[in-house]
């Protein structure tokens, strides 16, 4: 396990931006995925469950992390994957291939069936098929995941006036909110369209010192454009910090634009949480190459 680092950048108006490299925690179970799985794995052991079952899409960071965590901690793993057509594309999909190589059993279901993944009937069918498993929700967002994400914020991080993170399911930002001081502002950058995440966050967050900035999803989950890819590459060339195109790239683009537009007050000390997700770059680069678009630089 690599201890994460903080890298600081100076901006006009006495504003500083620190990047907390949670992506360095583990080479494959990185960032918030490590945090979310920590207490879930302990709970699974406590309940004497030896099978982990979870859900995800074609390029899911969560699927990759659960597969690797299962392999390293002697759990069998099962991934319920959205999209029946993907079953014939495992070898062409870096995320699914990695999960498969880690020993994860993959069950591909239709998008319509996937919508029912939280229903009792669907879960009962899975129990009949796979036995007594430990269920981890899509994206890993449950109370134990939030508990793990609370540990992202350390005592030294309480010096920051603003803490920023990208959002998928809302578990990570909930942990940050719970661990923060009331005089800190927690800002989330959703990677999905819509305002429904606020309700999900309120299920876990115990404070109200937060807001969502919903202008930087670039068209929705997994959507990118040339401006975003160019920004990610420029940022990497200038800082040697890799960003993923689904989460951290959009967050960092948003933070820097907000700084330039006067969103943050003079003297703001901003901490951006790098939540990992870098495994998804390989899959995105395949997509970009097929579209004859600029690819993401990785070294």
């Amino acid at each position: 396990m690599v201890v994460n680092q903080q890298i600081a950048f100076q901006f006009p108006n006495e504003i500083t931006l620190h990047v907390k490299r949670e992506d360095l925690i583990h080479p494959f179970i990185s960032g918030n995925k490590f945090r979310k799985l920590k207490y879930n794995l302990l709970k699974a052991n406590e309940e004497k469950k030896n099978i982990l079952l979870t859900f995800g899409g074609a390029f899911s960071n969560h699927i990759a992390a659960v597969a690797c965590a299962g392999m390293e901690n002697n759990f069998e793993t099962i991934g319920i994957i959205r999209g029946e057509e993907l079953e014939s594309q495992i070898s062409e999909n870096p995320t699914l291939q990695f999960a498969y190589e880690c020993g994860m059993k993959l069950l591909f279901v239709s998008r319509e069936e996937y919508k029912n993944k939280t229903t009792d009937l669907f879960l009962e069918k899975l129990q009949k098929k796979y036995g007594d498993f430990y269920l981890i929700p899509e994206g890993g967002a449950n109370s134990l995941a939030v508990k793990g994400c609370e540990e992202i914020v350390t005592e030294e991080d309480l010096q920051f006036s603003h803490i920023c993170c990208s959002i998928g399911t809302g578990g990570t930002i909930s942990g940050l909110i719970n661990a923060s001081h009331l005089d800190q502002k927690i800002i989330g950058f959703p990677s999905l369209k819509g305002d429904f995440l606020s309700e999900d966050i309120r299920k876990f967050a115990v404070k109200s010192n937060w807001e969502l900035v919903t202008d930087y999803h670039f068209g929705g989950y997994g959507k990118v454009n040339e401006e975003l890819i160019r920004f990610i590459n420029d940022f990497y060339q200038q800082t040697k910090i890799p960003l993923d195109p689904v989460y951290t790239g959009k967050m960092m683009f948003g933070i820097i634009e907000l700084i330039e537009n006067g969103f943050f007050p003079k003297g703001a000390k901003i901490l951006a949480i790098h939540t990992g997700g870098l495994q998804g770059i390989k899959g995105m680069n395949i997509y970009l190459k097929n579209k004859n678009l600029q690819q993401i630089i990785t070294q």
Side-chain angles (χ1 to χ4, degrees):
M1 174 175 169
V2 180
V3 177
N4 63 12
Q5 305 170 348
Q6 280 189 22
I7 298 175
F9 304 96
Q10 198 77 35
F11 288 86
N13 214 19
E14 301 175 27
I15 293 175
T16 57
L17 169 62
H18 291 239
V19 180
K20 189 163 190 174
R21 299 288 307 275
E22 288 276 302
D23 60 304
L24 298 177
I25 287 178
H26 187 283
F28 304 111
I29 318 166
S30 70
N32 62 343
K33 300 309 176 190
F34 182 95
R35 304 292 189 176
K36 288 181 176 182
L37 289 173
K38 176 181 176 180
Y39 290 107
N40 275 292
L41 295 181
L42 291 173
K43 184 67 171 177
N45 267 321
E46 182 185 313
E47 295 182 358
K48 302 191 185 309
K49 303 282 181 70
N50 58 12
I51 302 173
L52 307 176
L53 184 143
T54 195
F55 307 89
F59 299 100
S60 168
N61 296 320
H62 175 67
I63 287 291
V66 171
C68 186
M71 180 179 67
E72 291 194 356
N73 294 277
N74 299 313
F75 288 100
E76 292 181 45
T77 56
I78 299 162
I80 312 303
I81 309 300
R82 182 179 64 248
E84 290 174 304
E85 74 283 356
L86 296 170
E87 186 167 8
S88 62
Q89 302 172 22
I90 294 176
S91 62
E92 304 161 25
N93 182 301
T95 301
L96 298 179
Q97 182 66 30
F98 174 78
Y100 178 78
E101 290 172 355
C102 288
M104 177 175 270
K105 296 177 182 176
L106 303 174
L107 175 66
F108 298 87
V109 301
S110 69
R111 284 165 170 74
E112 197 60 35
E113 191 176 8
Y114 191 85
K115 292 176 183 177
N116 299 319
K117 63 184 178 295
T118 59
T119 64
D120 291 341
L121 181 60
F122 188 78
L123 294 175
E124 284 171 11
K125 288 181 180 178
L126 292 176
Q127 290 230 302
K128 287 178 182 177
K129 184 177 180 66
Y130 295 112
D132 189 24
F133 54 77
Y134 182 86
L135 179 66
I136 302 176
E138 183 178 30
N142 58 17
S143 58
L144 292 175
V146 172
K147 179 181 178 181
C149 288
E150 289 173 4
E151 296 178 355
I152 294 173
V153 179
T154 63
E155 193 67 32
E156 67 179 13
D157 297 332
L158 300 178
Q159 66 178 298
F160 294 100
S161 59
H162 300 76
I163 300 177
C164 300
C165 77
S166 53
I167 305 179
T169 56
T172 303
I173 191 173
S174 298
L176 298 177
I177 293 164
N178 293 347
S180 68
H181 276 182
L182 285 173
D183 59 356
Q184 294 180 299
K185 188 75 169 188
I186 313 302
I187 302 174
F189 292 79
S191 61
L192 300 88
K193 281 184 179 180
D195 298 325
F196 61 92
L197 280 170
S198 294
E199 290 304 313
D200 292 338
I201 293 166
R202 290 190 185 99
K203 294 175 185 176
F204 298 112
V206 298
K207 300 171 186 172
S208 57
N209 59 335
W210 57 278
E211 70 174 290
L212 303 185
V213 177
T214 60
D215 301 327
Y216 296 99
H217 52 69
F218 285 82
Y221 182 77
K223 303 291 185 182
V224 300
N225 63 20
E226 292 184 77
E227 182 182 24
L228 177 63
I229 301 304
R230 187 164 54 248
F231 169 82
I232 289 171
N233 285 338
D234 289 346
F235 190 85
Y236 178 75
Q237 289 176 326
Q238 293 169 21
T239 68
K240 296 306 176 189
I241 300 176
L243 301 173
D244 85 285
V246 177
Y247 295 105
T248 55
K250 295 178 179 182
M251 173 195 69
M252 198 61 65
F253 184 102
I255 291 172
I256 292 176
E257 186 167 278
L258 290 176
I259 291 173
E260 293 171 347
N261 292 342
F263 176 88
F264 294 97
K266 181 179 180 179
K269 295 186 70 176
I270 306 164
L271 179 65
I273 309 298
H274 193 315
T275 50
L278 300 176
Q279 68 85 28
I281 292 176
K282 287 183 180 178
M284 180 60 73
N285 274 345
I286 292 173
Y287 168 82
L288 294 171
K289 182 179 180 180
N290 290 338
K291 295 288 185 179
N292 293 316
L293 297 173
Q294 180 184 13
Q295 296 176 51
I296 297 169
I297 298 169
T298 56
Q299 58 182 6

